[in-house]
Amino acid sequence: MAKSKFEYVRNFELDDTCLRNCYIVVRLDGRNFHKFSEQHNFMKPSDNRALGLMSRSARSVMEELEDITIAYGQSDEFSFVFKRSTSWFKRRASKLMTHVASQFSSSFVYYWKEYFGEHPLLYPPSFDGRVVLYPSNRNLRDYLSWRQADCHINNLYNTTFWTLVQKGGLTTTQAEERLSGTQAADKNEILFSEFSINYNNESPLHKKGTTLIWEKVNETTTKQIKRPDEVQTEITVTRTRKKVTSHSCDIIGDQFWEEHPDILESDQC
C-alpha cells in the first residue's frame, strides 16, 4: 500500500505495550454510580438485579476475550485478569482497556431489560478503566484479596447503615453519625443486638462478591437419529466444553486456588 506524506503523525503515538511475563489487570469502575443507582431506584443496601447485570456483562467480556483467566466483581466494579502469556492486541494497554470497557458497557445496556424488566434505562451508564501489571502469582492474589476485603468492609457498613435507616427509623445523617468511628465488631453487635441479624448469615453474593472463571462442564442434549430400518429414535449425547462459571466464595484463602490450579501460570519465566 502506498504511503502518504501525512503518515508521519503515527510517530506521535505512545508505545503502551505491557511488560512481558506479567498478569494484565483491567479494572472497571462505574462513573457517578451513586447518582445512577438513585435515579434507577436500586434497592438498598444491595440490588440483586444490578449485581446480576454486572456479572452478565462481565461474562460477555470473558466470552469475547478468552485470554481473561479470572474476573472479580463487587458493587459497581469488575476486575479482569489476562493471563501473563497473553498476546491479545499485542499487549497494548489502551487496546485491552478500551475493548473491555466498550464490551462491558454495551452489554450492560443490551442486557438491562433481562434484569430490570420494564423499568426503563433512563440514560446510558459509563465506566472508567485502568490497567495494572502484576509480576507474580502472590501479587495477583493479593490484589484480588484486596478487592474482596473491600467488598466485605463496604457490605458490612452498607448493611448496618441501611438497617438503621429502614428498620431503626434513623435518617441517613443520623445513621452516618451513629457509625462514625465504629469497627467491624461494633457493626456486627448493632445488627445482632438491636435487629437480631447475624451478619454471617447474609448472602455470600453480597459478602464475597462474584468470581468468574473458566471451567469444563458437561452438557447433555437429545438428538433424533434414523436407524437403518428407517425408524427414528432418540439418543442422549454428553459433551464437555469450557464455560464461564460464577462463584461467590472466599478467594483470599488457599482452598479456591488449590481447587482451580489452572487459573494461575507458573512464576518461572
Side-chain angles (χ1 to χ4, degrees):
M1 183 180 294
K3 294 184 178 181
S4 74
K5 66 178 182 179
F6 307 111
E7 199 165 346
Y8 78 94
V9 297
R10 295 183 61 182
N11 296 325
F12 287 88
E13 294 184 19
L14 293 175
D15 180 8
D16 61 349
T17 303
C18 293
L19 190 66
R20 293 175 62 84
N21 299 320
C22 291
Y23 292 103
I24 303 173
V25 175
V26 178
R27 178 170 144 201
L28 301 184
D29 289 279
R31 181 176 178 273
N32 290 333
F33 245 62
H34 179 73
K35 175 182 176 182
F36 183 89
S37 64
E38 286 187 344
Q39 295 191 341
H40 289 88
N41 298 316
F42 281 15
M43 298 175 185
K44 303 294 184 180
S46 299
D47 193 315
N48 288 340
R49 300 170 301 172
L51 294 175
L53 179 55
M54 290 286 291
S55 295
R56 181 64 187 88
S57 302
R59 179 155 63 90
S60 175
V61 174
M62 289 187 68
E63 291 169 345
E64 178 71 17
L65 298 170
E66 296 182 9
D67 265 11
I68 295 174
T69 185
I70 184 173
Y72 176 78
Q74 51 119 344
S75 186
D76 65 339
E77 72 169 60
F78 240 101
S79 297
F80 299 89
V81 180
F82 286 84
K83 60 178 63 175
R84 67 197 318 167
S85 59
T86 187
S87 58
W88 279 81
F89 304 114
K90 298 181 180 179
R91 297 179 68 88
R92 291 190 59 186
S94 57
K95 290 280 190 178
L96 292 167
M97 182 177 66
T98 53
H99 196 112
V100 169
S102 62
Q103 182 72 27
F104 189 93
S105 300
S106 60
S107 297
F108 192 97
V109 174
Y110 183 81
Y111 292 110
W112 172 269
K113 195 170 183 179
E114 185 176 316
Y115 290 86
F116 283 85
E118 296 304 315
H119 189 84
L121 180 63
L122 302 178
Y123 58 90
S126 62
F127 297 86
D128 64 66
R130 73 199 72 182
V131 174
V132 186
L133 305 183
Y134 294 98
S136 72
N137 290 338
R138 173 49 56 190
N139 293 151
L140 178 64
R141 282 189 55 179
D142 284 348
Y143 168 77
L144 294 171
S145 297
W146 171 48
R147 300 320 305 145
Q148 187 165 73
D150 185 73
C151 174
H152 162 69
I153 293 168
N154 290 338
N155 187 67
L156 178 57
Y157 180 91
N158 290 334
T159 299
T160 312
F161 178 90
W162 286 106
T163 299
L164 288 170
V165 172
Q166 295 169 348
K167 296 184 178 181
L170 272 61
T171 66
T172 54
T173 300
Q174 290 171 331
E176 187 175 346
E177 291 174 350
R178 174 76 188 279
L179 294 178
S180 178
T182 58
Q183 303 297 316
D186 302 319
K187 298 179 182 69
N188 275 291
E189 180 62 23
I190 290 172
L191 290 172
F192 189 75
S193 62
E194 298 183 27
F195 303 99
S196 299
I197 296 175
N198 186 339
Y199 182 75
N200 291 329
N201 296 331
E202 293 296 295
S203 166
L205 171 65
H206 302 154
K207 294 189 300 180
K208 302 295 186 182
T210 300
T211 302
L212 301 179
I213 60 174
W214 289 98
E215 286 190 285
K216 290 182 179 180
V217 296
N218 293 326
E219 292 188 342
T220 302
T221 58
T222 301
K223 297 179 65 176
Q224 295 277 350
I225 65 169
K226 186 178 291 186
R227 298 190 324 215
D229 58 5
E230 299 297 319
V231 176
Q232 281 198 340
T233 187
E234 289 186 349
I235 64 169
T236 300
V237 179
T238 301
R239 292 176 177 170
T240 302
R241 72 181 186 92
K242 287 183 66 177
K243 185 178 180 181
V244 178
T245 59
S246 177
H247 305 263
S248 292
C249 61
D250 177 73
I251 59 173
I252 297 176
D254 293 330
Q255 182 177 347
F256 172 82
W257 302 98
E258 291 170 354
E259 292 175 351
H260 306 284
D262 55 328
I263 294 176
L264 301 176
E265 296 176 83
S266 172
D267 275 332
Q268 300 299 321
C269 298

Short mmCIF file of all heavy atoms in Angstrom, two decimals, residues 21-23 69 81-84 133-145 251-252 254 257 261-268:
data_model
loop_
_atom_site.label_atom_id
_atom_site.label_comp_id
_atom_site.label_asym_id
_atom_site.label_seq_id
_atom_site.Cartn_x
_atom_site.Cartn_y
_atom_site.Cartn_z
N ASN A 21 5.48 -11.29 30.69
CA ASN A 21 5.51 -12.16 31.87
C ASN A 21 4.83 -11.54 33.09
O ASN A 21 5.16 -11.88 34.23
CB ASN A 21 6.95 -12.55 32.24
CG ASN A 21 7.64 -13.31 31.13
OD1 ASN A 21 7.02 -14.17 30.49
ND2 ASN A 21 8.90 -13.01 30.88
N CYS A 22 3.89 -10.64 32.83
CA CYS A 22 3.09 -10.05 33.91
C CYS A 22 1.60 -10.29 33.64
O CYS A 22 1.17 -10.27 32.48
CB CYS A 22 3.34 -8.55 34.02
SG CYS A 22 4.97 -8.08 34.61
N TYR A 23 0.85 -10.50 34.71
CA TYR A 23 -0.60 -10.52 34.56
C TYR A 23 -1.07 -9.10 34.26
O TYR A 23 -0.61 -8.13 34.87
CB TYR A 23 -1.27 -11.00 35.84
CG TYR A 23 -1.03 -12.46 36.15
CD1 TYR A 23 -0.11 -12.83 37.13
CD2 TYR A 23 -1.71 -13.46 35.48
CE1 TYR A 23 0.11 -14.16 37.43
CE2 TYR A 23 -1.49 -14.81 35.77
CZ TYR A 23 -0.59 -15.15 36.75
OH TYR A 23 -0.37 -16.47 37.04
N THR A 69 -8.47 -14.98 32.34
CA THR A 69 -8.50 -16.25 33.07
C THR A 69 -9.39 -16.21 34.30
O THR A 69 -9.90 -17.23 34.76
CB THR A 69 -7.06 -16.65 33.47
OG1 THR A 69 -7.09 -17.92 34.08
CG2 THR A 69 -6.42 -15.65 34.41
N VAL A 81 -8.60 -10.28 34.63
CA VAL A 81 -7.20 -10.68 34.67
C VAL A 81 -6.86 -11.43 33.39
O VAL A 81 -7.36 -12.54 33.15
CB VAL A 81 -6.90 -11.56 35.89
CG1 VAL A 81 -5.43 -11.95 35.90
CG2 VAL A 81 -7.30 -10.85 37.18
N PHE A 82 -5.98 -10.84 32.58
CA PHE A 82 -5.47 -11.52 31.39
C PHE A 82 -4.28 -12.37 31.80
O PHE A 82 -3.42 -11.93 32.58
CB PHE A 82 -5.01 -10.51 30.34
CG PHE A 82 -6.15 -9.83 29.61
CD1 PHE A 82 -6.77 -8.71 30.17
CD2 PHE A 82 -6.58 -10.29 28.38
CE1 PHE A 82 -7.81 -8.08 29.51
CE2 PHE A 82 -7.61 -9.67 27.71
CZ PHE A 82 -8.24 -8.56 28.27
N LYS A 83 -4.22 -13.59 31.28
CA LYS A 83 -3.10 -14.48 31.60
C LYS A 83 -1.78 -13.80 31.25
O LYS A 83 -1.70 -12.99 30.33
CB LYS A 83 -3.25 -15.81 30.88
CG LYS A 83 -3.28 -15.72 29.37
CD LYS A 83 -3.38 -17.08 28.70
CE LYS A 83 -4.65 -17.82 29.02
NZ LYS A 83 -4.76 -19.10 28.26
N ARG A 84 -0.75 -14.14 31.98
CA ARG A 84 0.52 -13.45 31.81
C ARG A 84 1.14 -13.70 30.44
O ARG A 84 1.98 -12.93 29.96
CB ARG A 84 1.49 -13.85 32.93
CG ARG A 84 1.93 -15.29 32.88
CD ARG A 84 2.53 -15.76 34.18
NE ARG A 84 3.42 -14.78 34.80
CZ ARG A 84 3.85 -14.90 36.05
NH1 ARG A 84 3.46 -15.91 36.79
NH2 ARG A 84 4.67 -14.01 36.54
N LEU A 133 -0.23 -3.93 36.08
CA LEU A 133 0.52 -5.17 35.85
C LEU A 133 0.96 -5.77 37.18
O LEU A 133 1.44 -5.05 38.06
CB LEU A 133 1.75 -4.90 34.98
CG LEU A 133 1.50 -4.22 33.63
CD1 LEU A 133 2.82 -4.10 32.88
CD2 LEU A 133 0.47 -4.97 32.82
N TYR A 134 0.84 -7.09 37.28
CA TYR A 134 1.28 -7.80 38.48
C TYR A 134 2.23 -8.92 38.06
O TYR A 134 1.85 -9.82 37.31
CB TYR A 134 0.08 -8.36 39.25
CG TYR A 134 -0.78 -7.25 39.82
CD1 TYR A 134 -1.93 -6.82 39.17
CD2 TYR A 134 -0.39 -6.59 40.98
CE1 TYR A 134 -2.69 -5.78 39.67
CE2 TYR A 134 -1.15 -5.54 41.50
CZ TYR A 134 -2.30 -5.14 40.84
OH TYR A 134 -3.04 -4.11 41.33
N PRO A 135 3.48 -8.88 38.52
CA PRO A 135 4.51 -9.79 38.01
C PRO A 135 4.49 -11.20 38.59
O PRO A 135 5.09 -12.10 38.01
CB PRO A 135 5.81 -9.08 38.37
CG PRO A 135 5.47 -8.28 39.58
CD PRO A 135 4.05 -7.83 39.39
N SER A 136 3.82 -11.41 39.73
CA SER A 136 3.88 -12.73 40.36
C SER A 136 2.50 -13.20 40.76
O SER A 136 1.55 -12.40 40.88
CB SER A 136 4.79 -12.70 41.59
OG SER A 136 4.16 -11.99 42.65
N ASN A 137 2.37 -14.49 41.01
CA ASN A 137 1.11 -15.05 41.47
C ASN A 137 0.70 -14.46 42.82
O ASN A 137 -0.48 -14.20 43.05
CB ASN A 137 1.22 -16.58 41.59
CG ASN A 137 1.31 -17.26 40.24
OD1 ASN A 137 0.91 -16.70 39.22
ND2 ASN A 137 1.85 -18.48 40.22
N ARG A 138 1.67 -14.26 43.71
CA ARG A 138 1.36 -13.68 45.01
C ARG A 138 0.84 -12.26 44.86
O ARG A 138 -0.14 -11.86 45.52
CB ARG A 138 2.61 -13.70 45.90
CG ARG A 138 2.46 -12.97 47.23
CD ARG A 138 1.20 -13.35 47.99
NE ARG A 138 1.09 -14.78 48.24
CZ ARG A 138 -0.01 -15.36 48.71
NH1 ARG A 138 -1.11 -14.64 48.95
NH2 ARG A 138 -0.04 -16.67 48.92
N ASN A 139 1.46 -11.47 43.98
CA ASN A 139 0.98 -10.10 43.75
C ASN A 139 -0.46 -10.11 43.26
O ASN A 139 -1.30 -9.32 43.72
CB ASN A 139 1.85 -9.39 42.72
CG ASN A 139 3.26 -9.12 43.19
OD1 ASN A 139 4.19 -9.05 42.39
ND2 ASN A 139 3.46 -8.97 44.50
N LEU A 140 -0.76 -11.00 42.31
CA LEU A 140 -2.11 -11.05 41.76
C LEU A 140 -3.11 -11.50 42.81
O LEU A 140 -4.19 -10.91 42.95
CB LEU A 140 -2.16 -12.01 40.56
CG LEU A 140 -3.56 -12.17 39.93
CD1 LEU A 140 -4.04 -10.85 39.34
CD2 LEU A 140 -3.56 -13.26 38.88
N ARG A 141 -2.77 -12.53 43.57
CA ARG A 141 -3.67 -13.00 44.61
C ARG A 141 -3.90 -11.92 45.67
O ARG A 141 -5.03 -11.75 46.17
CB ARG A 141 -3.13 -14.27 45.25
CG ARG A 141 -3.35 -15.52 44.42
CD ARG A 141 -2.98 -16.77 45.19
NE ARG A 141 -3.70 -16.87 46.47
CZ ARG A 141 -3.57 -17.88 47.33
NH1 ARG A 141 -2.73 -18.87 47.05
NH2 ARG A 141 -4.25 -17.89 48.47
N ASP A 142 -2.86 -11.18 46.00
CA ASP A 142 -3.02 -10.10 46.98
C ASP A 142 -3.93 -9.00 46.43
O ASP A 142 -4.71 -8.40 47.19
CB ASP A 142 -1.66 -9.52 47.35
CG ASP A 142 -0.88 -10.43 48.29
OD1 ASP A 142 -1.47 -11.39 48.82
OD2 ASP A 142 0.33 -10.18 48.48
N TYR A 143 -3.83 -8.73 45.13
CA TYR A 143 -4.72 -7.74 44.53
C TYR A 143 -6.18 -8.18 44.65
O TYR A 143 -7.04 -7.42 45.09
CB TYR A 143 -4.38 -7.51 43.05
CG TYR A 143 -5.44 -6.71 42.33
CD1 TYR A 143 -5.55 -5.34 42.50
CD2 TYR A 143 -6.39 -7.35 41.52
CE1 TYR A 143 -6.55 -4.61 41.88
CE2 TYR A 143 -7.40 -6.63 40.90
CZ TYR A 143 -7.47 -5.26 41.08
OH TYR A 143 -8.48 -4.54 40.48
N LEU A 144 -6.46 -9.42 44.25
CA LEU A 144 -7.83 -9.93 44.31
C LEU A 144 -8.31 -10.03 45.76
O LEU A 144 -9.49 -9.78 46.05
CB LEU A 144 -7.92 -11.28 43.61
CG LEU A 144 -7.66 -11.25 42.10
CD1 LEU A 144 -7.54 -12.66 41.54
CD2 LEU A 144 -8.77 -10.49 41.38
N SER A 145 -7.41 -10.37 46.68
CA SER A 145 -7.76 -10.40 48.10
C SER A 145 -8.13 -9.01 48.59
O SER A 145 -9.07 -8.84 49.39
CB SER A 145 -6.59 -10.95 48.93
OG SER A 145 -6.30 -12.29 48.58
N ILE A 251 -11.84 -16.08 48.13
CA ILE A 251 -10.68 -16.21 47.26
C ILE A 251 -9.42 -15.69 47.93
O ILE A 251 -8.37 -15.58 47.30
CB ILE A 251 -10.88 -15.49 45.90
CG1 ILE A 251 -11.15 -14.00 46.10
CG2 ILE A 251 -12.00 -16.14 45.11
CD1 ILE A 251 -11.19 -13.21 44.79
N ILE A 252 -9.52 -15.39 49.23
CA ILE A 252 -8.36 -14.92 49.97
C ILE A 252 -7.53 -16.10 50.47
O ILE A 252 -6.31 -16.09 50.41
CB ILE A 252 -8.79 -14.02 51.15
CG1 ILE A 252 -9.49 -12.75 50.61
CG2 ILE A 252 -7.59 -13.63 52.01
CD1 ILE A 252 -10.03 -11.83 51.69
N ASP A 254 -6.41 -20.32 50.60
CA ASP A 254 -5.77 -21.18 49.61
C ASP A 254 -6.73 -22.15 48.92
O ASP A 254 -6.44 -22.62 47.82
CB ASP A 254 -4.64 -21.98 50.25
CG ASP A 254 -3.48 -21.10 50.71
OD1 ASP A 254 -3.27 -20.04 50.07
OD2 ASP A 254 -2.80 -21.47 51.69
N TRP A 257 -7.83 -21.61 45.23
CA TRP A 257 -6.73 -21.71 44.27
C TRP A 257 -6.25 -23.15 44.13
O TRP A 257 -5.82 -23.55 43.04
CB TRP A 257 -5.60 -20.79 44.69
CG TRP A 257 -6.08 -19.37 44.79
CD1 TRP A 257 -6.44 -18.71 45.92
CD2 TRP A 257 -6.31 -18.47 43.70
NE1 TRP A 257 -6.88 -17.44 45.61
CE2 TRP A 257 -6.81 -17.26 44.26
CE3 TRP A 257 -6.12 -18.55 42.32
CZ2 TRP A 257 -7.12 -16.16 43.47
CZ3 TRP A 257 -6.44 -17.44 41.54
CH2 TRP A 257 -6.93 -16.28 42.11
N PRO A 261 -6.32 -24.95 40.01
CA PRO A 261 -4.89 -24.68 39.80
C PRO A 261 -4.56 -24.15 38.41
O PRO A 261 -3.47 -23.62 38.20
CB PRO A 261 -4.25 -26.05 40.02
CG PRO A 261 -5.32 -27.03 39.67
CD PRO A 261 -6.60 -26.40 40.13
N ASP A 262 -5.49 -24.27 37.46
CA ASP A 262 -5.21 -23.83 36.09
C ASP A 262 -5.38 -22.33 35.90
O ASP A 262 -5.09 -21.80 34.82
CB ASP A 262 -6.10 -24.59 35.10
CG ASP A 262 -7.58 -24.45 35.44
OD1 ASP A 262 -7.90 -24.34 36.65
OD2 ASP A 262 -8.41 -24.44 34.52
N ILE A 263 -5.86 -21.61 36.92
CA ILE A 263 -6.05 -20.17 36.77
C ILE A 263 -4.72 -19.44 36.71
O ILE A 263 -4.51 -18.55 35.88
CB ILE A 263 -6.90 -19.62 37.95
CG1 ILE A 263 -8.31 -20.19 37.89
CG2 ILE A 263 -6.94 -18.08 37.90
CD1 ILE A 263 -9.17 -19.76 39.08
N LEU A 264 -3.80 -19.81 37.59
CA LEU A 264 -2.50 -19.15 37.66
C LEU A 264 -1.49 -19.87 36.80
O LEU A 264 -1.53 -21.08 36.62
CB LEU A 264 -2.02 -19.11 39.11
CG LEU A 264 -2.91 -18.39 40.12
CD1 LEU A 264 -2.33 -18.52 41.51
CD2 LEU A 264 -3.10 -16.93 39.74
N GLU A 265 -0.55 -19.09 36.24
CA GLU A 265 0.55 -19.66 35.46
C GLU A 265 1.80 -19.69 36.31
O GLU A 265 1.92 -18.94 37.30
CB GLU A 265 0.77 -18.81 34.20
CG GLU A 265 -0.41 -18.83 33.24
CD GLU A 265 -0.20 -17.90 32.06
OE1 GLU A 265 0.47 -18.32 31.11
OE2 GLU A 265 -0.70 -16.77 32.11
N SER A 266 2.74 -20.50 35.92
CA SER A 266 3.96 -20.65 36.69
C SER A 266 4.71 -19.34 36.77
O SER A 266 4.74 -18.55 35.83
CB SER A 266 4.86 -21.72 36.04
OG SER A 266 6.12 -21.74 36.67
N ASP A 267 5.31 -19.09 37.95
CA ASP A 267 6.13 -17.91 38.12
C ASP A 267 7.49 -18.03 37.44
O ASP A 267 8.25 -17.07 37.37
CB ASP A 267 6.35 -17.63 39.62
CG ASP A 267 5.20 -16.82 40.23
OD1 ASP A 267 4.56 -16.06 39.49
OD2 ASP A 267 4.97 -16.96 41.44
N GLN A 268 7.79 -19.23 36.96
CA GLN A 268 9.06 -19.43 36.26
C GLN A 268 8.95 -18.87 34.84
O GLN A 268 8.11 -19.29 34.06
CB GLN A 268 9.39 -20.92 36.21
CG GLN A 268 9.53 -21.58 37.56
CD GLN A 268 10.66 -20.98 38.38
OE1 GLN A 268 11.72 -20.65 37.83
NE2 GLN A 268 10.44 -20.82 39.67
#
